[in-house]
Amino acid sequence: PIKKNDWMIVYVNSIWSGAANGMARIASKQGIILSHVGNNINDYFTDHGWSVILHEFGHQAGLYHTHEAVHGTTPCSNKDCETTGDLICDTPPDPYGQGAGCNYVPAGSCSVVCKNGCKPDANNIMSYFWPGCKNKFSVRQYAVMACILKNLLD
């Protein structure tokens, strides 16, 4: 079982040469690695920093990206929601990174429309949209995290 001190956040600057902000294993009691948000620990206490921390915690608590393609690409309908994308049916289909041509409409807003008609939720913490937009998990994402964390803590 996980003990109080088993949960950790590790701050590391410039561990990757790419643009990765962080890393966490799905449904794991291993720590979260944070990188490339800024030059010092205080850079994590910004919209971008908090969104990275919460996003990586979501992975640690069992969540996939809303645009996850490992289970199959996300169609614009939600009819295959239990077998594609993030496997959670109350998150709208998110074709991010699948050549869908998604744009903020109007520009500068947190509303996203894709060429294929999809309207992913740019406010979802597990999306890859602008960090200033990301401010929520869905109801079912909370339920998945509660179940995973309960199992990890038992």
Side-chain angles (χ1 to χ4, degrees):
I2 296 175
K3 297 179 181 83
K4 180 180 175 185
N5 293 329
D6 283 346
W7 290 89
M8 65 182 145
I9 295 176
V10 178
Y11 173 78
V12 179
N13 191 17
S14 300
I15 191 169
W16 297 285
S17 59
N21 290 309
M23 182 187 83
R25 295 184 188 268
I26 302 291
S28 169
K29 63 182 182 177
Q30 295 180 349
I32 297 171
I33 298 173
L34 304 172
S35 179
H36 278 277
V37 168
N39 294 320
N40 64 60
I41 193 68
N42 292 326
D43 292 329
Y44 280 95
F45 301 102
T46 64
D47 284 346
H48 182 96
W50 281 115
S51 100
V52 170
I53 292 168
L54 291 171
H55 179 96
E56 297 308 331
F57 175 77
H59 286 315
Q60 193 172 26
L63 300 180
Y64 293 96
H65 295 125
T66 54
H67 62 276
E68 193 66 54
V70 73
H71 307 114
T73 57
T74 307
C76 201
S77 79
N78 224 13
K79 69 181 177 90
D80 298 325
C81 60
E82 292 179 345
T83 58
T84 62
D86 65 355
L87 311 177
I88 297 177
C89 291
D90 71 345
T91 58
D94 181 353
Y96 180 92
Q98 298 172 25
C102 300
N103 295 297
Y104 295 97
V105 178
S109 74
C110 289
S111 177
V112 175
V113 177
C114 304
K115 287 180 189 175
N116 63 1
C118 282
K119 294 181 181 176
D121 185 358
N123 297 112
N124 193 290
I125 290 167
M126 298 310 295
S127 77
Y128 264 19
F129 292 104
W130 183 63
C133 292
K134 299 192 302 186
N135 60 16
K136 69 175 185 176
F137 291 109
S138 73
V139 171
R140 290 196 181 190
Q141 284 175 317
Y142 277 117
V144 167
M145 289 190 294
C147 181
I148 295 291
L149 292 173
K150 182 182 182 320
N151 287 329
L152 286 173
L153 293 169
D154 282 343

